[in-house]
Amino acid sequence: MTKTAGGGESRWVDETLHDDVGLRMRFRVDKMILDTKTEYQHMQFFETKGLGKILVLDGATQLTTWDEFVYHEMMAHVPVMAHGSAENVLIIGGGDGGIAEEVLKHDTVKRLTMVEIDEAVIDFAREHLPEVHGNAFDDPRFNLVIGDGMKHVQETSQRYDVIIVDSTDPIGPAKVLFTEEFYGACSERLTDSGILVTQNGNPLLQPGELLDSVKAFNKHFIDAGCYVCAMPTYVGGFFACGWATHDLENRRVSLDLLEDRYEAGKIKTRYYAPEVHKAAFALPPYIRKLAV
Ligand code: SAM
């Protein structure tokens, strides 16, 4: 749970996600908008002078409006651009709408399904985070399912070109989304050239998460690993995006082809770029050894 230190004119909220390592990030809260327990998690939302609006779930930073573009762009555009003709996309989690907004920038996408377990997050984001989700929730291609992502991939008959798991960390309802059973079910729900990407934490602070995920990927996909992005408020250095696909060509997509797709799509981004896409797969040895 996040702790709020009282006293003085400023209140502070601690991120407690990395208490096991003994590392905390502390946000100075200029305006606490919400501090509540939903059916699934502790939800805190507040405004700060320096980092904009901040959403925290169960003590873990979900997003700040100051740097959310980094993670949302890299989780959405890398798989969709690598695939090249993704029409049917699934997001699991993603309640703030940030990834949905990025995916819907692609005209190739005909249908985007988002399976979010906690309706309170959607309702809240719809009202308080328009700068994050744009008008994604009202896009005619957008289809919202309130439910458990694991149940969805086990029960749906849909086949997806891209599955993006934008879940919380494996400390609450998202635990099941870090299991081999879940990754196996995703593997069944992908088309032959489909791509799965996952929120896979910080390799320095949460090495086991990435190691276990990639080990499980390897049992169901011919290409398994991760790529990285520099996401300031997901502390600890590079952030890992899990990568798993049945089609080796997806990783091999050339810089020229990515540039053509980027130009043709007229995709507006602040972090993603074709050369950043290719460079993101160049892993430092300490990450590579976790993700082979
Ligand atoms: N970008 C954030 C991160 O990297 O930690 C995640 C953002 S998003 C708010 C995470 C969402 O995952 C939450 O809204 C949470 O309700 C949802 N979630 C957690 N477990 C889930 C599950 N089993 N099925 C569907 N959604 C789930």
Side-chain angles (χ1 to χ4, degrees):
M1 301 291 274
T2 36
K3 202 171 67 51
T4 305
E9 73 290 353
S10 290
R11 294 178 61 185
W12 292 83
V13 169
D14 285 4
E15 177 183 70
T16 54
L17 176 63
H18 301 301
D19 273 10
D20 58 326
V21 177
L23 173 74
R24 280 191 174 185
M25 182 166 58
R26 177 167 271 198
F27 296 111
R28 189 189 61 224
V29 175
D30 294 293
K31 194 169 163 219
M32 181 62 88
I33 312 271
L34 183 82
D35 187 342
T36 184
K37 278 286 282 165
T38 74
E39 188 187 344
Y40 292 95
Q41 48 213 336
H42 179 206
M43 179 151 84
Q44 287 188 295
F45 183 72
F46 45 89
E47 290 187 16
T48 71
K49 287 205 178 69
L51 307 180
K53 300 174 184 174
I54 300 181
L55 173 66
V56 174
L57 292 176
D58 281 345
T61 309
Q62 302 300 303
L63 68 84
T64 83
T65 51
W66 173 68
D67 68 352
E68 52 83 19
F69 66 93
V70 173
Y71 168 82
H72 290 145
E73 289 181 13
M74 287 302 279
M75 284 284 284
H77 299 305
V78 169
V80 175
M81 293 286 283
H83 186 283
S85 56
E87 293 190 3
N88 198 8
V89 178
L90 170 65
I91 295 173
I92 291 176
D96 50 62
I99 291 185
E101 189 208 22
E102 295 301 328
V103 168
L104 291 167
K105 287 180 180 174
H106 294 267
D107 294 339
T108 58
V109 173
K110 301 275 177 290
R111 188 172 166 73
L112 171 59
T113 300
M114 186 160 100
V115 181
E116 165 57 62
I117 201 165
D118 196 341
E119 191 161 19
V121 177
I122 300 268
D123 292 346
F124 187 81
R126 209 187 263 278
E127 187 189 340
H128 291 278
L129 290 170
E131 63 270 61
V132 173
H133 56 70
N135 54 13
F137 295 141
D138 302 317
D139 188 303
R141 296 171 289 171
F142 181 78
N143 164 44
L144 176 63
V145 173
I146 299 297
D148 175 18
M150 174 65 154
K151 203 161 165 297
H152 178 80
V153 292
Q154 285 176 322
E155 294 176 359
T156 183
S157 57
Q158 281 288 330
R159 301 282 304 282
Y160 296 101
D161 299 306
V162 170
I163 298 177
I164 300 170
V165 185
D166 178 30
S167 72
T168 37
D169 287 83
I171 51 172
K175 250 198 175 80
V176 68
L177 306 180
F178 290 79
T179 61
E180 193 210 319
E181 193 191 357
F182 171 70
Y183 297 137
C186 287
S187 156
E188 298 299 313
R189 302 307 347 132
L190 281 169
T191 53
D192 295 347
S193 56
I195 303 172
L196 166 69
V197 297
T198 60
Q199 181 278 87
N200 241 116
N202 179 283
L204 262 186
L205 292 166
Q206 303 159 297
E209 207 175 287
L210 180 60
L211 188 72
D212 294 347
S213 289
V214 177
K215 242 193 232 150
F217 291 167
N218 275 311
K219 294 191 180 139
H220 298 277
F221 296 89
I222 58 164
D223 178 12
C226 78
Y227 58 96
V228 292
C229 61
M231 178 60 187
T233 48
Y234 292 172
V235 289
F238 274 134
F239 185 85
C241 306
W243 165 274
T245 179
H246 299 308
D247 181 350
L248 284 170
E249 288 315 306
N250 286 323
R251 180 191 288 261
R252 292 178 185 147
V253 62
S254 73
L255 179 58
D256 288 349
L257 187 50
L258 286 174
E259 281 170 345
D260 292 349
R261 289 175 180 167
Y262 189 63
E263 289 310 310
K266 296 189 180 33
I267 312 283
K268 293 269 169 287
T269 52
R270 295 170 61 200
Y271 186 95
Y272 179 90
E275 56 274 36
V276 171
H277 176 139
K278 293 300 284 179
F281 285 85
L283 303 177
Y286 84 92
I287 299 180
R288 169 158 298 291
K289 75 176 184 5
L290 296 170
V292 283

Short mmCIF file of all heavy atoms in Angstrom, two decimals, residues 41 57 62 71 92-96 115-118 121 147-149 166-169 173-174 176-177 199 234, ligand 1:
data_model
loop_
_atom_site.label_atom_id
_atom_site.label_comp_id
_atom_site.label_asym_id
_atom_site.label_seq_id
_atom_site.Cartn_x
_atom_site.Cartn_y
_atom_site.Cartn_z
N GLN A 41 -8.56 -3.20 -6.34
CA GLN A 41 -7.25 -2.65 -5.99
C GLN A 41 -7.39 -1.28 -5.32
O GLN A 41 -8.47 -0.68 -5.35
CB GLN A 41 -6.38 -2.52 -7.25
CG GLN A 41 -7.07 -1.88 -8.43
CD GLN A 41 -6.58 -2.44 -9.76
OE1 GLN A 41 -5.47 -2.97 -9.90
NE2 GLN A 41 -7.43 -2.33 -10.78
N LEU A 57 -1.74 2.27 -8.61
CA LEU A 57 -2.61 1.15 -8.22
C LEU A 57 -1.83 0.21 -7.32
O LEU A 57 -0.70 -0.20 -7.68
CB LEU A 57 -3.10 0.39 -9.47
CG LEU A 57 -4.06 1.12 -10.41
CD1 LEU A 57 -4.35 0.25 -11.65
CD2 LEU A 57 -5.37 1.51 -9.74
N GLN A 62 1.33 3.65 -12.22
CA GLN A 62 0.79 3.18 -13.50
C GLN A 62 1.16 4.14 -14.62
O GLN A 62 1.56 3.72 -15.68
CB GLN A 62 -0.74 3.07 -13.39
CG GLN A 62 -1.19 2.14 -12.28
CD GLN A 62 -0.70 0.73 -12.45
OE1 GLN A 62 -0.95 0.10 -13.47
NE2 GLN A 62 0.06 0.23 -11.49
N TYR A 71 6.18 4.74 -22.74
CA TYR A 71 5.76 3.34 -22.59
C TYR A 71 4.59 3.02 -23.53
O TYR A 71 4.60 2.00 -24.22
CB TYR A 71 5.33 3.14 -21.12
CG TYR A 71 4.60 1.87 -20.83
CD1 TYR A 71 5.28 0.66 -20.62
CD2 TYR A 71 3.21 1.85 -20.76
CE1 TYR A 71 4.60 -0.52 -20.36
CE2 TYR A 71 2.52 0.68 -20.50
CZ TYR A 71 3.22 -0.50 -20.29
OH TYR A 71 2.54 -1.66 -20.03
N ILE A 92 -5.00 -6.39 -23.07
CA ILE A 92 -5.46 -6.91 -21.77
C ILE A 92 -4.98 -5.96 -20.69
O ILE A 92 -3.79 -5.63 -20.63
CB ILE A 92 -4.96 -8.35 -21.56
CG1 ILE A 92 -5.70 -9.25 -22.55
CG2 ILE A 92 -5.20 -8.82 -20.12
CD1 ILE A 92 -5.28 -10.67 -22.55
N GLY A 93 -5.93 -5.48 -19.87
CA GLY A 93 -5.61 -4.42 -18.91
C GLY A 93 -5.77 -3.09 -19.64
O GLY A 93 -6.77 -2.86 -20.33
N GLY A 94 -4.80 -2.21 -19.48
CA GLY A 94 -4.80 -0.97 -20.26
C GLY A 94 -5.90 0.02 -19.94
O GLY A 94 -6.26 0.86 -20.76
N GLY A 95 -6.44 -0.05 -18.71
CA GLY A 95 -7.62 0.72 -18.34
C GLY A 95 -7.50 2.21 -18.50
O GLY A 95 -8.51 2.91 -18.61
N ASP A 96 -6.30 2.76 -18.54
CA ASP A 96 -6.17 4.22 -18.69
C ASP A 96 -6.36 4.65 -20.14
O ASP A 96 -6.50 5.83 -20.44
CB ASP A 96 -4.78 4.66 -18.19
CG ASP A 96 -3.66 3.81 -18.80
OD1 ASP A 96 -3.51 3.83 -20.04
OD2 ASP A 96 -2.99 3.10 -18.03
N VAL A 115 -9.75 -5.81 -22.78
CA VAL A 115 -10.35 -6.59 -21.68
C VAL A 115 -9.74 -6.09 -20.36
O VAL A 115 -8.57 -6.33 -20.08
CB VAL A 115 -10.09 -8.10 -21.84
CG1 VAL A 115 -10.74 -8.89 -20.70
CG2 VAL A 115 -10.62 -8.58 -23.20
N GLU A 116 -10.53 -5.33 -19.63
CA GLU A 116 -10.07 -4.67 -18.39
C GLU A 116 -10.93 -5.20 -17.25
O GLU A 116 -12.17 -5.15 -17.32
CB GLU A 116 -10.22 -3.16 -18.56
CG GLU A 116 -10.14 -2.34 -17.27
CD GLU A 116 -8.86 -2.54 -16.47
OE1 GLU A 116 -7.79 -2.21 -17.01
OE2 GLU A 116 -8.97 -3.01 -15.33
N ILE A 117 -10.29 -5.65 -16.18
CA ILE A 117 -11.05 -6.31 -15.10
C ILE A 117 -11.77 -5.29 -14.22
O ILE A 117 -12.82 -5.60 -13.64
CB ILE A 117 -10.10 -7.20 -14.26
CG1 ILE A 117 -10.88 -8.26 -13.48
CG2 ILE A 117 -9.23 -6.37 -13.31
CD1 ILE A 117 -9.99 -9.37 -12.93
N ASP A 118 -11.22 -4.07 -14.12
CA ASP A 118 -11.73 -3.11 -13.14
C ASP A 118 -12.40 -1.92 -13.83
O ASP A 118 -11.72 -0.99 -14.28
CB ASP A 118 -10.56 -2.63 -12.26
CG ASP A 118 -11.04 -1.93 -10.99
OD1 ASP A 118 -12.22 -1.51 -10.97
OD2 ASP A 118 -10.24 -1.81 -10.05
N VAL A 121 -11.49 1.76 -13.11
CA VAL A 121 -10.32 2.40 -13.74
C VAL A 121 -10.74 3.06 -15.05
O VAL A 121 -10.37 4.20 -15.34
CB VAL A 121 -9.18 1.39 -13.97
CG1 VAL A 121 -8.01 2.05 -14.68
CG2 VAL A 121 -8.72 0.77 -12.65
N GLY A 147 -13.72 -7.61 -17.73
CA GLY A 147 -13.54 -9.00 -17.30
C GLY A 147 -12.08 -9.35 -17.13
O GLY A 147 -11.19 -8.51 -17.32
N ASP A 148 -11.84 -10.60 -16.83
CA ASP A 148 -10.49 -11.10 -16.57
C ASP A 148 -9.82 -11.49 -17.89
O ASP A 148 -10.39 -12.27 -18.67
CB ASP A 148 -10.59 -12.33 -15.64
CG ASP A 148 -9.24 -12.99 -15.41
OD1 ASP A 148 -8.20 -12.34 -15.67
OD2 ASP A 148 -9.23 -14.16 -14.98
N GLY A 149 -8.64 -10.96 -18.12
CA GLY A 149 -7.96 -11.24 -19.38
C GLY A 149 -7.68 -12.71 -19.60
O GLY A 149 -7.75 -13.21 -20.72
N ASP A 166 -1.10 -5.03 -21.04
CA ASP A 166 -0.73 -3.81 -20.29
C ASP A 166 -1.35 -3.93 -18.91
O ASP A 166 -2.31 -3.24 -18.55
CB ASP A 166 -1.26 -2.56 -21.02
CG ASP A 166 -0.92 -1.30 -20.24
OD1 ASP A 166 0.10 -1.28 -19.54
OD2 ASP A 166 -1.73 -0.33 -20.29
N SER A 167 -0.82 -4.86 -18.12
CA SER A 167 -1.42 -5.17 -16.82
C SER A 167 -0.63 -4.49 -15.70
O SER A 167 0.47 -3.97 -15.91
CB SER A 167 -1.39 -6.68 -16.59
OG SER A 167 -0.04 -7.08 -16.33
N THR A 168 -1.20 -4.54 -14.52
CA THR A 168 -0.45 -4.15 -13.33
C THR A 168 0.61 -5.23 -13.08
O THR A 168 0.69 -6.20 -13.82
CB THR A 168 -1.42 -4.08 -12.13
OG1 THR A 168 -2.40 -5.13 -12.24
CG2 THR A 168 -2.15 -2.75 -12.09
N ASP A 169 1.39 -5.03 -12.02
CA ASP A 169 2.43 -6.02 -11.70
C ASP A 169 1.81 -7.27 -11.07
O ASP A 169 0.66 -7.23 -10.61
CB ASP A 169 3.45 -5.37 -10.76
CG ASP A 169 4.32 -4.36 -11.52
OD1 ASP A 169 3.87 -3.21 -11.70
OD2 ASP A 169 5.41 -4.75 -11.98
N PRO A 173 -4.69 -8.70 -9.08
CA PRO A 173 -5.47 -9.44 -10.08
C PRO A 173 -4.66 -9.80 -11.31
O PRO A 173 -5.07 -10.64 -12.10
CB PRO A 173 -6.61 -8.47 -10.42
CG PRO A 173 -6.17 -7.12 -9.98
CD PRO A 173 -5.24 -7.34 -8.83
N ALA A 174 -3.50 -9.19 -11.47
CA ALA A 174 -2.70 -9.45 -12.68
C ALA A 174 -1.81 -10.68 -12.56
O ALA A 174 -1.19 -11.11 -13.52
CB ALA A 174 -1.84 -8.24 -13.02
N VAL A 176 -2.24 -13.75 -12.59
CA VAL A 176 -2.53 -14.83 -13.55
C VAL A 176 -1.99 -14.49 -14.94
O VAL A 176 -1.74 -15.36 -15.77
CB VAL A 176 -4.07 -15.09 -13.61
CG1 VAL A 176 -4.81 -13.89 -14.25
CG2 VAL A 176 -4.39 -16.37 -14.31
N LEU A 177 -1.76 -13.21 -15.20
CA LEU A 177 -1.29 -12.79 -16.52
C LEU A 177 0.21 -12.94 -16.69
O LEU A 177 0.78 -12.53 -17.69
CB LEU A 177 -1.71 -11.33 -16.77
CG LEU A 177 -3.20 -11.00 -16.59
CD1 LEU A 177 -3.46 -9.53 -16.86
CD2 LEU A 177 -4.08 -11.88 -17.48
N GLN A 199 3.90 -6.13 -20.58
CA GLN A 199 4.53 -5.27 -19.59
C GLN A 199 5.35 -6.22 -18.73
O GLN A 199 4.79 -7.05 -18.01
CB GLN A 199 3.41 -4.60 -18.77
CG GLN A 199 3.82 -3.65 -17.68
CD GLN A 199 4.21 -4.32 -16.36
OE1 GLN A 199 5.38 -4.68 -16.21
NE2 GLN A 199 3.30 -4.45 -15.42
N TYR A 234 9.13 4.51 -14.36
CA TYR A 234 9.21 3.08 -14.02
C TYR A 234 10.67 2.91 -13.63
O TYR A 234 11.50 2.51 -14.43
CB TYR A 234 8.84 2.18 -15.19
CG TYR A 234 7.37 2.24 -15.61
CD1 TYR A 234 6.94 1.60 -16.75
CD2 TYR A 234 6.43 2.95 -14.88
CE1 TYR A 234 5.60 1.65 -17.17
CE2 TYR A 234 5.09 3.02 -15.27
CZ TYR A 234 4.69 2.37 -16.41
OH TYR A 234 3.36 2.42 -16.81
N1 SAM B 1 1.15 0.70 -17.71
C1 SAM B 1 0.86 0.14 -16.38
C2 SAM B 1 2.02 -0.74 -15.95
O1 SAM B 1 2.93 -0.96 -16.77
O2 SAM B 1 2.02 -1.18 -14.78
C3 SAM B 1 -0.44 -0.64 -16.43
C4 SAM B 1 -1.59 0.29 -16.67
S1 SAM B 1 -3.22 -0.32 -16.63
C5 SAM B 1 -3.95 0.83 -15.53
C6 SAM B 1 -3.17 -1.84 -15.73
C7 SAM B 1 -4.54 -2.44 -15.69
O3 SAM B 1 -4.49 -3.86 -15.63
C8 SAM B 1 -5.39 -2.01 -14.48
O4 SAM B 1 -6.41 -1.15 -14.90
C9 SAM B 1 -5.91 -3.32 -13.91
O5 SAM B 1 -7.24 -3.22 -13.47
C10 SAM B 1 -5.76 -4.25 -15.10
N2 SAM B 1 -5.73 -5.69 -14.77
C11 SAM B 1 -5.06 -6.29 -13.75
N3 SAM B 1 -5.29 -7.62 -13.76
C12 SAM B 1 -6.13 -7.87 -14.82
C13 SAM B 1 -6.71 -9.05 -15.36
N4 SAM B 1 -6.50 -10.25 -14.80
N5 SAM B 1 -7.50 -8.94 -16.45
C14 SAM B 1 -7.73 -7.72 -17.03
N6 SAM B 1 -7.21 -6.54 -16.55
C15 SAM B 1 -6.41 -6.64 -15.47
#
